[in-house]
Amino acid sequence: MIPEILAALFFGLLLLGLHRKVVARIQKRPGPPVWQEFLHAAKFFWKQTWVPKTASSLMFVGIVLVGIGIWVAALLVVIAGGNILIIFGIYMLQKIVEHGFGLSSGSPYGKFGGVRSVISAASEIPLFVSVAAIALFTHSLALQDIVAYQAVHGPLLLIVPPAAFAMFLVLLSKMPGGPFSVVEGKELVSGYKTEHFGFFRAGLYVCDGLKTTVLLWTFVLVFIGGLPTAGFIIVMVILMIILSFTCALTPMLTPFDSVTLQTLVTGAMLVYVGCIAAMGVPG
Amino acid sequence: MKKKDARIIAALTGVLMGVLYFPYVAGLITFWTYGALLVIGAPVFFLAAGFAMMAGEGEEDDPFIGY
Amino acid sequence: MIAVGGEPFYYLEFGDIVLYFSPVTTTLFVLALLFTLFVLASRPERQVDIAFGSDAYLAKVITPGELHFRKFMATACGLASMGAMVTGDVFDFTLFASLVGITNIGIVAAVKNRHVQNAAYQYGLVSLSATVPLFSGAAMVAATTGTLSLIELAKGTYPAVPLAVKSFLVLGIIGEGMAPFYAAKAEMFRAPGAPYVIMCSLSSLLIFLRVVEIAMTM
């Protein structure tokens, strides 16, 4: 299991580096090397670190533990083919982790980052509507059952495209520099990350790396199905490039516009799932 | 946390995770038993290693409040 | 049996009230427990504020009296969330959910800040109105099926719970603190005391996750 966790971490950081590279090329900049995020993590780990004077020290340190722990757990659930409700529960917990990072230091910038992260809780609701749409077809939320269903009936991407779109928006809301990334707006310095420096920040990179791998892998498993390892890597890279293009070509929305848009998507998804449920699922 | 304590915690969790990997591969302990150990052990190891090596020894500072 | 949250591996019986621990409910329970432990063990941060017009800045300190009250409320909120995570009874779940709503207001009730109090008041109004669909949802579950036990409902031998009843339950929980009603709650996070304030958002997220599981199980 340890090799899998390390591989997922490195791959996730590389994907984030690829994201920066693609965005830079679209903006006609050379951009950092693809392994830049990995270098950042290593650099931050070797910096002298302490807890700010005003911070709630246990919370300040403990939230890093929680952050890494939940994403390791999410990765293990994906490896074991476990329940997607747990993975999405952990995805929602990431909000609380961001909130904890921001609020525990006492810094006003961190606090605003954390509060924005909580306000944008609207981004999670489309997730559950798409989960409901999936459950209508597969009658189970275990990843292995969903993969088995797709082996027989073809990818869910073609069966329930709006659910895949909703989940894509959810992925987008977690990408740096995306239209919904109000949490990391430049007016907040580094948002909720502002006060966590040194190896705490390296821990944040560990979270980000694992999170990127877990979310993209779950998307591929749920909407495309089981593939050989090389297939997974290729599809995840392609998905990342699509996300990077979307991030580079869309403006960042204001916090309230972002919530409004996500709520509208949720409404549309609810109508869609209602229609499927009313018409009856074939098979 | 004192650097010495951090060093002991890091070593303990690191060794525990490393040593129990072999019975897991051999199938003596279940996936989720070892998984639970990793979920708790990995972050503790990470932070304890950080504290052991890079914890600042001077006075803490105030949060960043502007340029 | 309960396929949505995985097979339960432990049942805890209190007479006819049964708590069950499945992979999903246990994960949620452990998370609620973890953050409750944080509340009990950690001290609040001191929020730094810039004093406009000068170079000075101030750090807000929570007084011991306020600290005790808020710690108590945050712990109560954690306990209510833990209960809501593992209960196998729809009516118990709604009771725990409304208790979460009450304690959420309690967590910020002692903060002397007008914005926080206004937000808490507005949130109170929303969650109070949300209890109508919430409790009527639970009542209608009993009316349509004759039982409130999730374990019984999951067996599939009872009549199906109508979609409208499920939507009532979900709507009630959304009113207790999920988007879009969350907007009423946002200003509550101005309050200092990170470990306590976090319980406000954590409890809402957890009960929402649980209601999704409940709605799909029924």
Side-chain angles (χ1 to χ4, degrees):
Chain A
M1 243 182 281
I2 295 175
E4 283 96 331
I5 293 174
L6 291 177
L9 170 61
F10 291 131
F11 186 55
L13 287 175
L14 282 181
L15 282 176
L16 286 173
L18 177 73
H19 170 71
R20 287 186 68 173
K21 190 80 179 172
V22 172
V23 171
R25 283 305 166 93
I26 292 170
Q27 296 168 345
K28 292 192 172 173
R29 290 185 285 119
V34 178
W35 49 86
Q36 184 64 42
E37 300 292 304
F38 177 67
L39 296 182
H40 271 321
K43 177 191 80 178
F44 275 118
F45 191 81
W46 298 105
K47 293 241 175 224
Q48 200 188 32
T49 309
W50 58 87
V51 177
K53 207 185 274 176
T54 53
S56 160
S57 25
L58 182 73
M59 197 78 202
F60 191 85
V61 177
I63 205 73
V64 185
L65 290 178
V66 177
I68 301 176
I70 57 172
W71 286 107
V72 170
L75 183 70
L76 296 183
V77 173
V78 179
I79 292 175
N83 199 308
I84 49 172
L85 262 189
I86 298 182
I87 297 170
F88 292 156
I90 286 171
Y91 173 85
M92 290 184 84
L93 244 298
Q94 172 67 15
K95 289 266 160 215
I96 304 295
V97 169
E98 287 172 5
H99 195 174
F101 268 106
L103 262 69
S104 60
S105 64
S107 150
Y109 298 105
K111 187 180 82 173
F112 281 121
V115 169
R116 276 194 187 180
S117 150
V118 178
I119 293 181
S120 56
S123 68
E124 275 84 28
I125 319 266
L127 193 64
F128 287 98
V129 188
S130 53
V131 168
I134 296 162
L136 278 177
F137 286 88
T138 59
H139 302 294
S140 165
L141 289 178
L143 271 174
Q144 48 196 14
D145 295 342
I146 296 174
V147 171
Y149 175 88
Q150 295 180 93
V152 179
H153 296 86
L156 277 170
L157 181 65
L158 303 176
I159 303 173
V160 275
F165 175 71
M167 169 106 183
F168 180 79
L169 280 191
V170 170
L171 292 185
L172 196 58
S173 71
K174 278 279 167 273
M175 293 301 295
F180 305 117
S181 309
V182 284
V183 181
E184 293 175 10
K186 284 296 161 219
E187 69 278 18
L188 299 180
V189 191
S190 300
Y192 66 92
K193 299 175 180 169
T194 306
E195 280 304 318
H196 281 77
F197 59 100
F199 58 79
F200 298 133
R201 179 66 77 93
L204 254 169
Y205 276 98
V206 172
C207 288
D208 282 348
L210 288 174
K211 180 178 78 186
T212 310
T213 312
V214 168
L215 289 180
L216 294 187
W217 196 2
T218 312
F219 184 90
V220 177
L221 276 173
V222 170
F223 289 107
I224 295 172
L227 294 171
T229 312
F232 271 120
I233 292 175
I234 293 169
V235 176
M236 281 160 79
V237 167
I238 294 173
L239 189 59
M240 194 63 181
I241 292 173
I242 297 174
L243 282 166
S244 309
F245 263 85
T246 321
C247 287
L249 301 176
T250 47
M252 191 185 282
L253 297 169
T254 62
F256 284 105
D257 285 345
S258 142
V259 172
T260 311
L261 191 65
Q262 285 162 339
T263 312
L264 287 177
V265 171
T266 313
M269 280 300 295
L270 274 174
V271 173
Y272 172 71
V273 174
C275 289
I276 298 182
M279 287 189 301
V281 178
Chain B
M1 201 192 311
K2 288 200 184 83
K3 280 195 173 185
K4 199 177 149 218
D5 299 344
R7 219 170 288 147
I8 294 170
I9 296 175
L12 271 182
T13 45
V15 168
L16 199 64
M17 287 192 296
V19 167
L20 286 183
Y21 184 64
F22 298 101
Y24 160 68
V25 173
L28 295 175
I29 47 176
T30 59
F31 181 87
W32 282 115
T33 317
Y34 189 61
L37 174 74
L38 283 188
V39 168
I40 300 164
V44 170
F45 173 73
F46 183 89
L47 274 195
F51 271 112
M53 286 187 284
M54 300 314 298
E57 279 167 344
E59 207 192 333
E60 312 104 321
D61 68 343
D62 300 320
F64 174 78
I65 49 164
Y67 294 107
Chain C
M1 183 207 71
I2 301 176
V4 175
E7 200 67 32
F9 44 79
Y10 181 65
Y11 294 91
L12 184 61
E13 293 181 19
F14 295 106
D16 58 346
I17 305 282
V18 181
L19 310 185
Y20 68 88
F21 291 82
S22 68
V24 169
T25 60
T26 312
T27 313
L28 300 179
F29 177 82
V30 169
L31 288 167
L33 178 67
L34 184 71
F35 278 89
T36 312
L37 292 179
F38 270 142
V39 166
L40 286 172
S42 56
R43 299 196 48 76
E45 90 285 7
R46 282 172 290 154
Q47 256 181 17
V48 176
D49 238 348
I50 298 157
F52 282 102
S54 70
D55 286 345
Y57 60 91
L58 2 124
K60 294 177 195 161
V61 180
I62 299 184
T63 57
E66 188 186 326
L67 182 80
H68 289 146
F69 181 71
R70 296 181 64 194
K71 203 173 225 178
F72 167 72
M73 275 298 174
T75 315
C77 184
L79 290 175
S81 324
M82 278 189 260
M85 289 313 106
V86 288
T87 179
D89 184 288
V90 181
F91 187 68
D92 271 4
F93 172 74
T94 55
L95 274 183
F96 279 128
S98 52
L99 187 56
V100 162
I102 295 166
T103 48
N104 273 355
I105 301 170
I107 289 171
V108 294
V111 179
K112 291 180 186 64
N113 177 325
R114 200 156 53 90
H115 302 286
V116 173
Q117 293 305 331
N118 273 340
Y121 178 65
Q122 284 163 5
Y123 167 70
L125 289 182
V126 173
S127 63
L128 208 61
S129 347
T131 50
V132 177
L134 187 67
F135 285 122
S136 54
M140 280 192 276
V141 171
T144 48
T145 63
T147 180
L148 280 165
S149 160
L150 278 169
I151 298 159
E152 292 297 316
L153 285 169
K155 284 178 185 162
T157 48
Y158 285 86
V161 178
L163 193 61
V165 176
K166 292 182 184 179
S167 342
F168 263 46
L169 268 180
V170 176
L171 184 68
I173 294 296
I174 287 180
E176 295 289 338
M178 282 306 295
F181 299 115
Y182 206 90
K185 211 174 175 182
E187 291 278 306
M188 275 160 64
F189 296 102
R190 275 174 181 250
Y196 317 135
V197 175
I198 273 186
M199 282 312 294
C200 292
S201 50
L202 180 84
S203 54
S204 306
L205 286 184
L206 288 179
I207 57 170
F208 182 70
L209 284 169
R210 185 71 215 280
V211 82
V212 170
E213 196 242 358
I214 289 179
M216 291 169 102
T217 303
M218 287 194 301

